[in-house]
C-alpha cells in the first residue's frame, strides 16, 4: 500500500477499542474528518462510531473518535472528529502564518530585542525574518506580539537563509521550549483559521 508522507501509522478500532486493521491515517481540520487507509479495511456501517489510534513505535500516541461516513475495503472516513486533536496533528508540521514578534538575543548580562516576522510555525519548528544577524546554533528568546501574546519561547537557530541582496535575513529554528499557554493559543489559532476557510 502506498501512502504519502502526510499520513501517519495508525490502527482502526471499534468504538469499544477492539482492533480491526492496521494502516495509515490523515486528518483534515477544515472538515473535521480523518481518513484511514489500509491493505484491507473492514466495512463498517454508515453513522456508527469508530476509533483511530495514532501509532508511534508500537505505542498509541493519540486516539481519535468519530462517526463513519464512508467505508470501503481500501479506505474509511470518520467525520465529527475533535477539532483540537486534529489541530495538534496539523501543528506537528510547519503552518504558514504571518505573525509579528520580538527576537531576544542575550549578550553579557543584557538582552537585545529585534523586530521579526514569523512566516511559518509548528510545535517544534519556526521560520522568521529579521534585520539582525544571528549565527547557526545560537540560542534566542522569542516573544510573539501579534496576533496574540506568547512570552517565554526559546529557540535554537538551525539554518541561516539568505534572500539575495535584501536587508533581511531568514532563519530556520528549532523550538526548544514553549509555555503550555502558548501551545494552547497556537492550537486555538489554527482551529479558528480552519473554521474561516
Amino acid at each position: 500500500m502506498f501512502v504519502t508522507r502526510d499520513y501517519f501509522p495508525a490502527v482502526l478500532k471499534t468504538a469499544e477499542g477492539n482492533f480491526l486493521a492496521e494502516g495509515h491515517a490523515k486528518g483534515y481540520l477544515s472538515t473535521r474528518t480523518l481518513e484511514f487507509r489500509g491493505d484491507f479495511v473492514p466495512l463498517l456501517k454508515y453513522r456508527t462510531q469508530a476509533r483511530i489510534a495514532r501509532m508511534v513505535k508500537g505505542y498509541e500516541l493519540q486516539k481519535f473518535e468519530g462517526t463513519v461516513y464512508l467505508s470501503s475495503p481500501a479506505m474509511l472516513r470518520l467525520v465529527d472528529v475533535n477539532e483540537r486533536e486534529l489541530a495538534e496533528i496539523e501543528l506537528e508540521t510547519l503552518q504558514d502564518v504571518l505573525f509579528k514578534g520580538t527576537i531576544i538575543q542575550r549578550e553579557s548580562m543584557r538582552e537585545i530585542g529585534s523586530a521579526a516576522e514569523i512566516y511559518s510555525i509548528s510545535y517544534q519548528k519556526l521560520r522568521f525574518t529579521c534585520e539582525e544577524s544571528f549565527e547557526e546554533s545560537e540560542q534566542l528568546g522569542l516573544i510573539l506580539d501579534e496576533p496574540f501574546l506568547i512570552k517565554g519561547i526559546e529557540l535554537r537557530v538551525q539554518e541561516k537563509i539568505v534572500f539575495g541582496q535584501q536587508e533581511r535575513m531568514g532563519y530556520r529554528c528549532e523550538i526548544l521550549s514553549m509555555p503550555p499557554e502558548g501551545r494552547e493559543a497556537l492550537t486555538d489559532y489554527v482551529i479558528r483559521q480552519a473554521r474561516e476557510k
Side-chain angles (χ1 to χ4, degrees):
M1 172 184 63
F2 173 78
V3 292
T4 59
R5 281 190 328 176
D6 49 354
Y7 280 74
F8 53 84
V11 169
L12 175 64
K13 296 183 172 189
T14 64
E16 296 77 30
N18 298 322
F19 174 86
L20 293 174
E22 285 186 41
H24 291 80
K26 178 180 179 180
Y28 299 90
L29 178 57
S30 59
T31 56
R32 292 184 56 203
T33 60
L34 194 68
E35 188 174 289
F36 178 86
R37 294 184 178 267
D39 290 330
F40 176 75
V41 180
L43 297 177
L44 297 179
K45 288 183 181 178
Y46 174 72
R47 303 300 296 167
T48 59
Q49 295 295 302
R51 183 183 298 170
I52 294 173
R54 180 178 181 192
M55 303 300 290
V56 175
K57 296 181 181 178
Y59 295 97
E60 291 185 11
L61 185 66
Q62 263 178 309
K63 292 178 187 171
F64 305 91
E65 294 185 359
T67 306
V68 175
Y69 178 76
L70 181 66
S71 182
S72 76
M75 189 263 286
L76 178 125
R77 181 171 295 138
L78 295 181
V79 296
D80 302 326
V81 179
N82 183 289
E83 284 178 308
R84 183 156 294 280
E85 293 167 349
L86 292 171
E88 288 172 359
I89 292 175
E90 292 217 4
L91 279 164
E92 289 186 8
T93 59
L94 286 166
Q95 303 297 307
D96 292 335
V97 296
L98 188 54
F99 293 167
K100 296 203 179 299
T102 304
I103 298 294
I104 308 298
Q105 189 176 25
R106 298 171 184 98
E107 287 184 359
S108 61
M109 305 297 286
R110 67 187 185 119
E111 293 184 346
I112 302 166
S114 305
E117 289 186 357
I118 292 85
Y119 62 92
S120 62
I121 192 168
S122 71
Y123 288 141
Q124 296 90 18
K125 299 197 180 296
L126 174 134
R127 294 180 183 160
F128 72 90
T129 60
C130 186
E131 291 180 5
E132 294 300 317
S133 182
F134 307 109
E135 299 302 317
E136 290 183 10
S137 298
E138 186 172 351
Q139 289 193 19
L140 306 167
L142 169 65
I143 299 170
L144 276 181
D145 301 317
E146 292 178 24
F148 43 79
L149 181 66
I150 301 176
K151 295 182 178 181
I153 301 172
E154 296 294 322
L155 312 172
R156 178 183 297 123
V157 177
Q158 290 183 309
E159 182 182 8
K160 194 183 266 195
I161 304 163
V162 181
F163 295 115
Q165 297 180 355
Q166 296 180 4
E167 294 178 4
R168 295 180 77 80
M169 293 288 294
Y171 298 92
R172 187 171 59 85
C173 300
E174 172 188 11
I175 296 178
L176 301 174
S177 67
M178 180 186 298
E181 60 272 12
R183 189 177 167 111
E184 192 171 317
L186 195 55
T187 305
D188 290 341
Y189 173 83
V190 169
I191 291 170
R192 282 194 307 274
Q193 293 302 109
R195 286 176 180 169
E196 292 173 8
K197 286 183 181 178

